[in-house]
Amino acid sequence: MNTTTSAPPESYCTFLVDGLLYGIEVQKVQEVIRAQPTTRVPLAPRVVRGLMNLRGHIVSMLSLRNALGLAPRSSDRPEMSVIIRSSEGPVGLLVDEIGDVMRVDQADCESVPGTLHRRQRSFLRCAYKLEQRLLLILDADRVATAMD
């Protein structure tokens, strides 16, 4: 009789930013939509791209690329928005491309290497080794409150 218990797999909504695969817990994701026009907010931090009217609710749209300190976007393809539920309310994250919902075994979660830049490390919870790449798990609440 096997008495060991394993944690159930976690499900993540995945997306690409600057060629890197990121994930946020599915339970934290409200919806995924094409990027919508935003209203610029004067004097807002560089991370805040603007405000969006999402079916009558004002949602802050954040550039995940800027929050993570990644290179400026060079693609002409339209961005996508991942609307997440945070302790501050719904917040939109602008990403390059939407991936799949992935189920991964919690036992495969490894801590983020200390060699990563402090800015990126502060937003990451852990990393999963996939067959050909890493899945970097974001802390939704920390990203939602990201400011320059």
Side-chain angles (χ1 to χ4, degrees):
M1 180 174 164
N2 185 0
T3 59
T4 60
T5 59
S6 61
E10 289 276 341
S11 294
Y12 294 99
C13 171
T14 66
F15 43 86
L16 293 169
V17 180
D18 200 25
L20 300 171
L21 183 64
Y22 291 94
I24 288 184
E25 298 165 284
V26 166
Q27 299 88 344
K28 296 273 188 176
V29 176
Q30 177 177 312
E31 63 189 287
V32 174
I33 59 175
R34 293 187 191 280
Q36 305 291 312
T38 58
T39 300
R40 189 175 65 84
V41 180
L43 303 177
R46 190 173 59 99
V47 170
V48 178
R49 182 76 65 84
L51 301 175
M52 178 180 76
N53 182 349
L54 182 64
R55 295 183 296 277
H57 298 279
I58 303 300
V59 176
S60 296
M61 298 302 297
L62 306 180
S63 167
L64 190 53
R65 182 178 291 271
N66 287 348
L68 294 169
L70 300 174
R73 191 164 193 270
S74 61
S75 173
D76 290 337
R77 294 179 61 184
E79 292 177 294
M80 297 293 292
S81 300
V82 178
I83 309 298
I84 61 172
R85 298 179 188 99
S86 76
S87 56
E88 304 293 321
V91 173
L93 304 177
L94 294 166
V95 303
D96 295 342
E97 187 177 326
I98 299 299
D100 296 319
V101 171
M102 299 182 78
R103 291 175 56 100
V104 291
D105 190 342
Q106 292 182 37
D108 295 333
C109 182
E110 295 190 14
S111 60
V112 178
T115 54
L116 280 181
H117 189 277
R118 184 174 33 140
R119 182 182 188 106
Q120 292 182 7
R121 202 174 49 230
S122 69
F123 294 128
L124 297 174
R125 286 184 33 223
C126 67
Y128 286 95
K129 289 186 280 188
L130 305 178
E131 271 189 41
Q132 307 222 348
R133 63 189 331 172
L134 294 177
L135 171 60
L136 304 170
I137 304 303
L138 293 167
D139 182 317
D141 286 327
R142 286 189 184 159
V143 172
T145 57
M147 298 293 162
D148 272 344

